[in-house]
Amino acid sequence: MLTLEWESEGLQTVGIVVIICASLKLLHLLGLIDFSEDSVEDELEMATVRHRPEALELLEAQSKFTKKELQILYRGFKNECPSGVVNEETFKEIYSQFFPQGDSTTYAHFLFNAFDTDHNGAVSFEDFIRGLSILLRGTVQEKLNWAFNLYDINKDGYITKEEMLDIMKAIYDMMGKCTYPVLKEDAPRQHVETFFQKMDKNKDGVVTIDEFIESCQKDENIMRSMQLFENVI
């Protein structure tokens, strides 16, 4: 059972951590990483992947991964996803394994949309690498921009209470029944109110990217969560 101590603002921090944790789980279940100490070095030495050098060189320039790391990631991605893309159902299946005691369907949907930057219903290797590069090795500003994009469901540049409530309910459905103490049914809505009191500086009913980043940067818990999974590959 997943045990967490929930504070009034805990879901927001958990939301950030879950994004990164679940991305790592996606890598692990796709066979792209192993959490044993020697696996990374061994893989780097053994990687012999057929690939298009031009494509990997472009991705190397656009991401924070080395060419050898990209070779390893590409090999695993192609082995597990011969079509070259991951669809939403695959995301949902992976999350159902990561959170078997909850319902991760809605959260997986939101996260899939955040990775699917061109909104074509599929996450390509390029989409995956760009998102993963930000989540694992991006600056704090880049990670918070990515998180804002996740919360901004309709991509209009603002987070509304309705959007934040949808995200919080999705996190609650995914994790709430596995927490101690058990969250109350109205916890997501209460969190949204706390979130807006803290972040909606001009009280106009929406949170902008600047308001979001400024508030997150002042939150020690969120800042610590930004550093938890750096350089795991």
Side-chain angles (χ1 to χ4, degrees), residues 40 84 91 119 137 140 146 170:
V40 173
F91 257 66
H119 309 297
R137 296 186 179 173
V140 168
W146 201 94

PDB file of all heavy atoms in Angstrom, residues 40 84 91 119 137 140 146 170:
ATOM      1  N   VAL A  40      23.182   0.716 -16.221  1.00  0.00           N
ATOM      2  CA  VAL A  40      23.370   1.827 -17.148  1.00  0.00           C
ATOM      3  C   VAL A  40      24.718   1.739 -17.841  1.00  0.00           C
ATOM      4  O   VAL A  40      24.817   1.838 -19.057  1.00  0.00           O
ATOM      5  CB  VAL A  40      23.230   3.176 -16.398  1.00  0.00           C
ATOM      6  CG1 VAL A  40      23.595   4.332 -17.325  1.00  0.00           C
ATOM      7  CG2 VAL A  40      21.814   3.352 -15.876  1.00  0.00           C
ATOM      8  N   GLY A  84       6.483   2.189 -33.639  1.00  0.00           N
ATOM      9  CA  GLY A  84       7.186   3.459 -33.472  1.00  0.00           C
ATOM     10  C   GLY A  84       6.423   4.495 -32.687  1.00  0.00           C
ATOM     11  O   GLY A  84       6.915   5.612 -32.505  1.00  0.00           O
ATOM     12  N   PHE A  91      -0.605   3.750 -22.519  1.00  0.00           N
ATOM     13  CA  PHE A  91      -0.391   4.572 -21.333  1.00  0.00           C
ATOM     14  C   PHE A  91      -1.290   4.095 -20.197  1.00  0.00           C
ATOM     15  O   PHE A  91      -0.849   3.937 -19.057  1.00  0.00           O
ATOM     16  CB  PHE A  91      -0.712   6.043 -21.653  1.00  0.00           C
ATOM     17  CG  PHE A  91       0.513   6.898 -21.854  1.00  0.00           C
ATOM     18  CD1 PHE A  91       1.356   6.677 -22.932  1.00  0.00           C
ATOM     19  CD2 PHE A  91       0.806   7.925 -20.991  1.00  0.00           C
ATOM     20  CE1 PHE A  91       2.474   7.464 -23.139  1.00  0.00           C
ATOM     21  CE2 PHE A  91       1.921   8.721 -21.182  1.00  0.00           C
ATOM     22  CZ  PHE A  91       2.767   8.493 -22.261  1.00  0.00           C
ATOM     23  N   HIS A 119      -0.708  16.459 -30.837  1.00  0.00           N
ATOM     24  CA  HIS A 119      -2.136  16.120 -30.719  1.00  0.00           C
ATOM     25  C   HIS A 119      -2.632  15.263 -31.895  1.00  0.00           C
ATOM     26  O   HIS A 119      -3.697  15.502 -32.446  1.00  0.00           O
ATOM     27  CB  HIS A 119      -2.983  17.389 -30.596  1.00  0.00           C
ATOM     28  CG  HIS A 119      -2.496  18.327 -29.536  1.00  0.00           C
ATOM     29  ND1 HIS A 119      -2.471  17.990 -28.202  1.00  0.00           N
ATOM     30  CD2 HIS A 119      -1.988  19.590 -29.621  1.00  0.00           C
ATOM     31  CE1 HIS A 119      -1.975  19.020 -27.495  1.00  0.00           C
ATOM     32  NE2 HIS A 119      -1.675  19.988 -28.339  1.00  0.00           N
ATOM     33  N   ARG A 137      15.812  15.945 -16.744  1.00  0.00           N
ATOM     34  CA  ARG A 137      17.048  16.728 -16.795  1.00  0.00           C
ATOM     35  C   ARG A 137      16.830  18.198 -17.116  1.00  0.00           C
ATOM     36  O   ARG A 137      17.789  18.930 -17.311  1.00  0.00           O
ATOM     37  CB  ARG A 137      18.014  16.112 -17.816  1.00  0.00           C
ATOM     38  CG  ARG A 137      18.444  14.708 -17.405  1.00  0.00           C
ATOM     39  CD  ARG A 137      19.484  14.132 -18.305  1.00  0.00           C
ATOM     40  NE  ARG A 137      19.865  12.795 -17.853  1.00  0.00           N
ATOM     41  CZ  ARG A 137      20.667  11.975 -18.509  1.00  0.00           C
ATOM     42  NH1 ARG A 137      21.183  12.360 -19.669  1.00  0.00           N
ATOM     43  NH2 ARG A 137      20.960  10.784 -18.021  1.00  0.00           N
ATOM     44  N   VAL A 140      14.396  23.805 -13.545  1.00  0.00           N
ATOM     45  CA  VAL A 140      13.163  23.956 -12.770  1.00  0.00           C
ATOM     46  C   VAL A 140      12.110  24.679 -13.606  1.00  0.00           C
ATOM     47  O   VAL A 140      10.936  24.289 -13.616  1.00  0.00           O
ATOM     48  CB  VAL A 140      13.434  24.723 -11.456  1.00  0.00           C
ATOM     49  CG1 VAL A 140      12.125  25.134 -10.790  1.00  0.00           C
ATOM     50  CG2 VAL A 140      14.253  23.865 -10.507  1.00  0.00           C
ATOM     51  N   TRP A 146       6.275  22.455 -18.149  1.00  0.00           N
ATOM     52  CA  TRP A 146       5.682  21.191 -18.588  1.00  0.00           C
ATOM     53  C   TRP A 146       4.493  20.824 -17.695  1.00  0.00           C
ATOM     54  O   TRP A 146       3.452  20.396 -18.183  1.00  0.00           O
ATOM     55  CB  TRP A 146       6.736  20.093 -18.550  1.00  0.00           C
ATOM     56  CG  TRP A 146       6.423  18.915 -19.411  1.00  0.00           C
ATOM     57  CD1 TRP A 146       6.842  18.712 -20.697  1.00  0.00           C
ATOM     58  CD2 TRP A 146       5.633  17.773 -19.068  1.00  0.00           C
ATOM     59  NE1 TRP A 146       6.371  17.509 -21.167  1.00  0.00           N
ATOM     60  CE2 TRP A 146       5.623  16.909 -20.191  1.00  0.00           C
ATOM     61  CE3 TRP A 146       4.943  17.394 -17.924  1.00  0.00           C
ATOM     62  CZ2 TRP A 146       4.952  15.687 -20.192  1.00  0.00           C
ATOM     63  CZ3 TRP A 146       4.258  16.178 -17.922  1.00  0.00           C
ATOM     64  CH2 TRP A 146       4.270  15.346 -19.047  1.00  0.00           C
ATOM     65  N   ALA A 170      -8.451  13.228 -10.616  1.00  0.00           N
ATOM     66  CA  ALA A 170      -7.746  12.128 -11.280  1.00  0.00           C
ATOM     67  C   ALA A 170      -6.645  11.578 -10.382  1.00  0.00           C
ATOM     68  O   ALA A 170      -6.452  10.357 -10.295  1.00  0.00           O
ATOM     69  CB  ALA A 170      -7.163  12.614 -12.609  1.00  0.00           C
TER      70      ALA A 170
END
